[in-house]
Amino acid sequence: LTHGYVLSGPGVPKRINEAVLHNRKKVMTSSSDGWIWYFLFGLFMFIGGLLALYISLTSIVLPYDEHFLTINSHLILQFNDRILPFMSHDRMTLSGTIMSGGILFMSLARNGIKHHYHWAKKATDTSAFVGFLAIFLFIGYGYFDWLHALFWVVLLLPFLIGFFKTKGINRSPESENLTNNSAWKISLIGQLFFIILGFSIIIGGCIISFVGVTTTFVKTDLNYLCITPSQLNAFNQHLIPVISHDRAGFGGGLVSVGLLVLMISLWGFRQNQKWIWWTLLFGSLPAFLTDFAVHLKIG
């Protein structure tokens, strides 16, 4: 046991069980279309992210935002021309996070839940549950964002249908991996970095959520805006709640997506499962691209 754990790592019992299941070659037949609803859940999320991206690149604030603020975007620009770019920064990063989450959910549905893998359903349900709870982070600011609430309801319906239609799936993963060759050992380094990435996203999301529900701003934000929170409140008492609700929502979305990355890296990692790596690659692109792009765009 000591020799095996040293050379193979603590995951060797899991690999043995997966190899045994692979050698049995038990044929699984699909008996539920519940995965389609999970796929629609991810698709709607991706479309919602695209819509949020379009808003962040154009008007930034919507008519109901202006109604709550009792002022329009032109007055905000006259007061401080960096407030709207700053809000665009929060909304664009949120849109990228939502699109990334949508890609991950769609892939888990198509490649995991469809084939009855219990780990894929568990990862999807856990992440989605946290994402739905995140709405309560910004609901207490005295600003009810009806578009977020509508988006929440649209996502909840296909998720619940998919959840109940797939309650019986319990397939364990199988793998043909039997050796500790150099490719496998190198891949473990890649898995470690994906796990670190997942943890890092979760920690970042928790910090951003905490800032969103407490101070709203950090020092670099105020340096960029060249203004103090008291001056913002003196200009418009509703402006900080609008910014806070964006930040808290973004933080909650990061926690949800970070959980997906972490669980896919921990539970989906096995030989010849190429869809896992394509999922993580394409799933990361919207979040990283929007994050880098918006910082370059607003300076």
Side-chain angles (χ1 to χ4, degrees), residues 213-257:
V213 299
T214 53
T215 60
T216 303
F217 303 104
V218 293
K219 186 178 179 180
T220 49
D221 298 330
L222 298 175
N223 289 341
Y224 173 78
L225 291 170
C226 300
I227 201 170
T228 65
S230 58
Q231 289 173 318
L232 280 172
N233 271 326
F235 169 66
N236 190 299
Q237 292 184 347
H238 293 159
L239 193 55
I240 290 181
V242 172
I243 296 172
S244 295
H245 111 285
D246 282 339
R247 305 217 114 177
F250 171 50
L254 274 181
V255 174
S256 176
V257 172

Side-chain angles (χ1 to χ4, degrees), residues 16-217:
I16 292 171
N17 288 332
E18 291 173 354
V20 170
L21 288 174
H22 174 74
N23 289 334
R24 288 177 180 171
K25 298 186 183 300
K26 184 178 180 181
V27 178
M28 295 293 297
T29 56
S30 181
S31 59
S32 173
D33 59 355
W35 73 272
I36 297 175
W37 294 98
Y38 276 122
F39 186 88
L40 288 175
F41 169 70
L43 180 61
F44 291 161
M45 180 176 289
F46 183 80
I47 294 172
L50 280 177
L51 178 61
L53 178 63
Y54 174 76
I55 293 170
S56 69
L57 289 170
T58 53
S59 62
I60 302 175
V61 292
L62 292 168
Y64 67 86
D65 292 324
E66 294 180 340
H67 177 75
F68 176 74
L69 293 169
T70 66
I71 56 174
N72 58 35
S73 57
H74 298 294
L75 288 175
I76 297 175
L77 284 171
Q78 290 175 8
F79 171 71
N80 187 313
D81 60 1
R82 289 193 170 186
I83 292 177
L84 288 183
F86 181 77
M87 293 177 68
S88 172
H89 150 271
D90 281 350
R91 296 194 167 190
M92 191 180 294
T93 48
L94 173 61
S95 70
T97 302
I98 294 173
M99 286 190 289
S100 286
I103 291 173
L104 296 177
F105 281 125
M106 284 189 286
S107 184
L108 280 172
R110 174 64 180 81
N111 299 292
I113 298 174
K114 180 181 180 181
H115 302 291
H116 289 211
Y117 287 118
H118 180 257
W119 75 265
K121 175 177 169 58
K122 188 175 181 180
T124 298
D125 293 345
T126 303
S127 175
F129 182 71
V130 171
F132 283 125
L133 287 180
I135 194 174
F136 295 106
L137 285 172
F138 55 78
I139 212 168
Y141 286 106
Y143 175 51
F144 182 76
D145 189 332
W146 68 266
L147 188 60
H148 278 172
L150 179 63
F151 183 54
W152 192 84
V153 172
V154 169
L155 291 178
L156 184 62
L157 292 176
F159 172 76
L160 287 178
I161 296 173
F163 177 83
F164 287 109
K165 276 181 168 282
T166 59
K167 284 190 72 173
I169 69 172
N170 58 0
R171 182 182 180 183
S172 299
E174 59 278 342
S175 173
E176 59 190 76
N177 175 263
L178 294 173
T179 60
N180 294 315
N181 56 32
S182 58
W184 173 257
K185 289 182 178 180
I186 292 173
S187 73
L188 294 178
I189 299 173
Q191 183 190 25
L192 174 62
F193 276 99
F194 275 121
I195 291 170
I196 292 172
L197 176 64
F199 268 118
S200 300
I201 296 172
I202 293 170
I203 293 170
C206 290
I207 292 172
I208 293 172
S209 296
F210 178 77
V211 170
V213 299
T214 53
T215 60
T216 303
F217 303 104

